[in-house]
Amino acid sequence: AFMKRFRLYIAILFFAFITSLFFYQVLLQEKVPIAADTIVGLYHPFRDFYASNYPNGIPFKNFLITDPVRQQYPWRFLAVEEIKQFRLPLWNPYSGAGTPLLANFQTGAFYPLNIIFLVFPFITSWSILIMLQIFLSSLFMYLYLRYLRLHVLACILGAFTFSLSGFAIAWLEWNTILQTVMWVPLLLLAKDHYLRERKLRWIGVLIFSECSLLLAGHLQTAFYSLIIVNLYLLARIYEIIKKEAPTHFFGRCFKLLKPFVGIGLVVAAITSIQWIPTLQLIINSARQADQADWQAAGWFIPWQNLVQFLVPDFFGNPATLNYWGVWNYGELVGYVGIVPLIMVLFALFYRRDKKTVFFGGLFFFSLIFSLPTIFAKLPYLFSIPYLSSS
């Protein structure tokens, strides 16, 4: 037990050290991990203020990551300021003639880690939340992989493959997408533990993690994440029943699944303060009319962009203004690192254990619905509510 705790403390220190190295400019140079240079480099009237000194405009690094500047940062700032005044952050008066704020899912108004904003200045808290994405996603994945009894080095490699993948880096500054995804390995761990031990502490972990995932501020990623964790739960239940009582499958399945249904209802009740207003906004939104472009190149991952699993900048990079690929670099990069990719391919071809089959199947299943296949197009061809509009 001592060695187990000792390894955990070492892992925590190691992940904190790597995170600090990654964000050394934030910690040592007081920089903020947000593309603030685009404010004066791209947008009027801010550009005009410096026009006499910079007639050709002020250089900026990356035009593709302006959403945090224009959306996530000001929305969260407004919500936090309202909460500090003990008011519900219902309305944003600064966009057009006004627009819903709380109902806007990406505001993340009630995300539990927002408590940091009540302790530190907003700009410091924003940076802390950005950095926590790398640290916590590494730690949670490490804990889950250790539960699967993998070698410590394999767990560390898996943790960093998850937290520093192309997807993670591309969406790091949004402070919503990775805040959603990072809870997935902790949920897998908690569901596994509670399924086998039935200890009350894991109910607390499950409720907190699932609420955090839903309140973190990205509806689409939360939807995918919940599909993953619940498919995993069903696969684990099936595995247990096949071992213990294959002749009483449905009765045993109901018994094992019942507490998780109860936990899900509790989570739904707690997070209803967010999803009910969001659902009302979706129903009254013109978003449906925005989906007519699903047949355009880049809506699904183009077949040629699978090369980005091997070479992330094969089509260039927006930060160097030489991206010549289809649509959006961040939406299409699938890079996880060459060494992890080689190990993944080796496992898929040479391992036959249930974990490899499950996660390998999940990988191919996700590709089927990401690439321009007939299965991916079905929600749009049949105009399936929510799936075709959100």
Side-chain angles (χ1 to χ4, degrees), residues 166 301-318 323 325-326 328-338 341:
I301 298 176
W303 292 99
Q304 67 269 19
N305 283 73
L306 290 177
V307 73
Q308 287 185 281
F309 279 96
L310 290 170
V311 186
D313 288 356
F314 183 88
F315 299 102
N317 192 290
Y323 182 70
V326 174
N328 184 319
Y329 177 94
E331 299 279 1
L332 304 174
V333 62
Y335 188 68
V336 295
I338 295 299
L341 184 62

Side-chain angles (χ1 to χ4, degrees), residues 105 110 112 187 191 202-216 222 226 229-230 259-276:
F105 204 85
F110 296 114
L187 275 169
K191 285 180 182 291
W202 291 111
I203 294 180
V205 174
L206 275 171
I207 292 174
F208 181 81
S209 302
E210 204 153 329
C211 286
S212 297
L213 183 149
L214 286 167
L215 296 173
L226 288 177
V229 296
N230 286 301
F260 292 98
V261 173
I263 291 170
L265 291 174
V266 171
V267 170
I270 294 173
T271 58
S272 62
I273 194 172
Q274 176 63 73
W275 63 260
I276 290 178

Side-chain angles (χ1 to χ4, degrees), residues 10-268:
I10 294 297
I12 290 173
L13 290 174
F14 182 63
F15 294 138
F17 174 70
I18 297 297
T19 303
S20 301
L21 281 181
F22 190 86
F23 290 103
Y24 78 93
Q25 291 174 302
V26 177
L27 298 172
L28 301 180
Q29 300 175 11
E30 297 185 350
K31 293 186 177 182
V32 181
I34 191 171
D37 57 341
T38 59
I39 297 175
V40 293
L42 281 173
Y43 299 114
H44 302 282
F46 312 104
R47 283 184 61 178
D48 304 325
F49 185 79
Y50 297 98
S52 57
N53 295 327
Y54 299 91
N56 296 321
I58 296 178
F60 54 90
K61 185 66 176 176
N62 190 341
F63 70 92
L64 196 61
I65 53 176
T66 54
D67 281 0
V69 174
R70 301 178 301 165
Q71 299 177 351
Q72 282 76 27
Y73 189 96
W75 289 339
R76 190 73 60 93
F77 178 84
L78 184 57
V80 168
E81 289 302 304
E82 288 291 285
I83 290 171
K84 283 182 177 180
Q85 299 299 320
F86 299 100
R87 296 192 294 261
L88 281 175
L90 299 175
W91 191 250
N92 174 5
Y94 302 107
S95 292
T99 186
L101 183 64
L102 174 60
N104 175 2
F105 204 85
Q106 293 192 69
T107 300
F110 296 114
Y111 184 46
L113 296 191
N114 283 354
I115 193 171
I116 296 172
F117 291 111
L118 305 180
V119 179
F120 301 102
F122 186 90
I123 197 166
T124 303
S125 302
W126 183 266
S127 297
I128 291 172
L129 274 181
I130 293 279
M131 293 187 287
L132 279 176
Q133 292 174 126
I134 300 296
F135 174 72
L136 290 179
S137 58
S138 300
L139 179 60
F140 293 160
M141 182 58 80
Y142 172 84
L143 293 173
Y144 171 65
L145 295 179
R146 283 299 291 164
Y147 174 79
L148 297 182
R149 297 181 179 178
L150 301 185
H151 192 279
V152 172
L153 294 179
C155 296
I156 292 174
L157 178 63
F160 283 127
T161 301
F162 178 60
S163 65
L164 298 173
S165 64
F167 174 86
I169 299 304
W171 299 104
L172 182 66
E173 294 186 13
W174 268 249
N175 229 354
T176 53
I177 296 175
L178 292 190
Q179 293 289 351
T180 302
V181 170
M182 73 181 190
W183 297 101
V184 170
L186 186 61
L187 275 169
L188 299 181
L189 175 67
K191 285 180 182 291
D192 241 337
H193 266 293
Y194 186 67
L195 194 59
R196 298 179 184 280
E197 299 175 9
R198 287 293 195 269
K199 291 183 178 178
L200 289 177
R201 63 182 179 184
W202 291 111
I203 294 180
V205 174
L206 275 171
I207 292 174
F208 181 81
S209 302
E210 204 153 329
C211 286
S212 297
L213 183 149
L214 286 167
L215 296 173
H218 202 261
L219 185 60
Q220 185 183 21
T221 312
F223 177 68
Y224 296 146
S225 298
L226 288 177
I227 289 176
I228 290 170
V229 296
N230 286 301
L231 283 176
Y232 180 82
L233 174 64
L234 292 175
R236 281 302 206 191
I237 287 176
Y238 177 80
E239 182 183 7
I240 290 173
I241 294 174
K242 291 294 285 185
K243 284 183 179 179
E244 294 180 357
T247 55
H248 302 87
F249 183 84
F250 291 106
R252 184 72 174 134
C253 182
F254 176 77
K255 185 176 181 180
L256 290 173
L257 201 56
K258 185 166 62 173
F260 292 98
V261 173
I263 291 170
L265 291 174
V266 171
V267 170

